Amino acid sequence: MTIDLSAYGWSDALPGGDGLLGRIVKVDRGECDVVTANGRVRVLSDSQRAQDQMAPVTGDWVLLHDEPELGLLISSVLPRSNSVSRRDPSEQVVEQVLVANVDVVLIVHGLDRPLPPGRLERFLVVGWDSGAEVAVVLTKADKKGAPVDDVTATVGAVAPDVPVLVVGLAGRAQEGLEHVAAMVGPGRTVVLLGESGSGKSTLVNALLGEEHLETGEVRSVDSKGRHTTVSRELVRLANGGLLVDTPGIRSVGIWDSEEALERVFGDLEALSATCRYSDCVHGPEPDCAVSAAVANGQVDRRRVDRYVALNVELEEQRQREKERERRGHGEKRGRRR
Ligand SMILES: Nc1nc2c(ncn2[C@@H]2O[C@H](COP(=O)(O)OP(=O)(O)OP(=O)(O)O)[C@@H](O)[C@H]2O)c(=O)[nH]1
Ligand SMILES: [Mg+2]
Ligand SMILES: [Zn+2]
């Protein structure tokens, strides 16, 4: 069997190297599934050499070599064009890369639950920080009383330029699916992020046209999902699109990212620059441009509060990171760019 890796997004413009080239399509329990020109193989993910540079993740291009006793091993992870990452929820100051080499990030939200603007802002920061295109997909529009207009308005208020796609995937009816399909072109890698139970795996299955991924009922009391998906898996659609399903994200710890924050809170950053004090927290300070904008109805106070809270969180993170570096840890796992 010979697989043309361009079908998995490989382009000759990317730097290659010695060894068998492949793309990681799944990582679980210390092992990776890798698609190579010779077919799909399973390799150990934590080969020492690969770890020395960076831990391989789904979407990575890697070079494999054959080790007499151990079989195929990842000898190197090729440079990433970009990656989607968040703050590691267990470690506070460490970046956790979720997926590499991504063209589009779809933020998936189920219309069976509220969409707190702060949650959306965090997902947007994670998405934009990668440099990929970002869109929001609202699922479960088929449900009775689904607040399509309200939630669409929330997204519009937080991020006016972000496309919003609405789908309802009950039974055979596949309302709106074609709009999502249109974003997933040949060779494009599209990752789905969202809370557990938001319908990511259901959406991937609908696009695939088969029940490839396991899906799970949400709890009826609070619409909470059950964390059905446990690994990040890249699947190829018949039209050549590449989709990465991911486990539901509980906490969206954002990684310090000036550019992405600028996209979400650019207007507030611009106003802050004209406050009298450069360290203004837009509370009781005199000559605060942000508070003035709130007072005349130009800016929503709650949005300012979220902005301030996020900045506090990032400042704490910077301090902890400095502390960590001082103790001699930060070198290997620091920020990649
Ligand atoms: N009515 C309706 N139900 C949906 C839709 N999309 C998903 N569901 C249901 O929502 C539940 C959760 O869907 P999943 O696809 O498992 O959600 P997930 O985001 O993959 O969840 P995790 O894997 O836990 O992160 C399942 O019972 C789905 O059948 C939709 O568009 N309409
Ligand atoms: Mg899932
Ligand atoms: Zn101010």
Side-chain angles (χ1 to χ4, degrees), residues 84-89 94-98 126 232 248-255:
V84 177
S85 58
R86 64 166 168 178
R87 195 171 70 232
D88 189 323
V94 172
E95 176 184 21
Q96 181 188 36
V97 179
L98 302 174
V126 167
R232 301 182 197 107
I249 291 185
R250 245 175 288 235
S251 69
V252 204
I254 62 168
W255 194 256

Side-chain angles (χ1 to χ4, degrees), residues 143-274:
K143 291 222 160 187
K144 226 175 146 223
V148 178
D149 294 342
D150 289 356
V151 176
T152 304
T154 301
V155 181
V158 168
D161 302 330
V162 169
V164 181
L165 313 173
V166 181
V167 297
L169 301 176
R172 279 165 193 277
Q174 302 202 315
E175 192 194 326
L177 190 65
E178 69 280 10
H179 301 300
V180 183
M183 297 209 73
V184 195
R188 299 236 294 171
T189 303
V190 178
V191 58
L192 288 79
L193 296 183
E195 272 185 293
S196 178
S198 61
K200 300 176 295 297
S201 304
T202 303
L203 184 55
V204 173
N205 285 343
L207 290 163
L208 269 174
E210 58 173 302
E211 299 299 305
H212 174 71
L213 300 166
E214 200 187 331
T215 60
E217 294 291 311
V218 298
R219 288 200 315 225
S220 50
V221 256
D222 53 8
S223 300
K224 275 215 163 40
R226 297 169 190 272
H227 292 277
T228 308
T229 303
V230 293
S231 61
R232 301 182 197 107
E233 180 171 352
L234 184 150
V235 299
R236 191 166 175 274
L237 303 183
N239 82 346
L242 304 165
L243 284 177
V244 183
D245 188 24
T246 66
I249 291 185
R250 245 175 288 235
S251 69
V252 204
I254 62 168
W255 194 256
D256 196 357
S257 162
E258 259 167 48
E259 257 170 74
L261 275 175
E262 167 74 33
R263 284 187 77 164
V264 181
F265 291 116
D267 56 332
L268 299 184
E269 308 229 297
L271 282 170
S272 301
T274 65

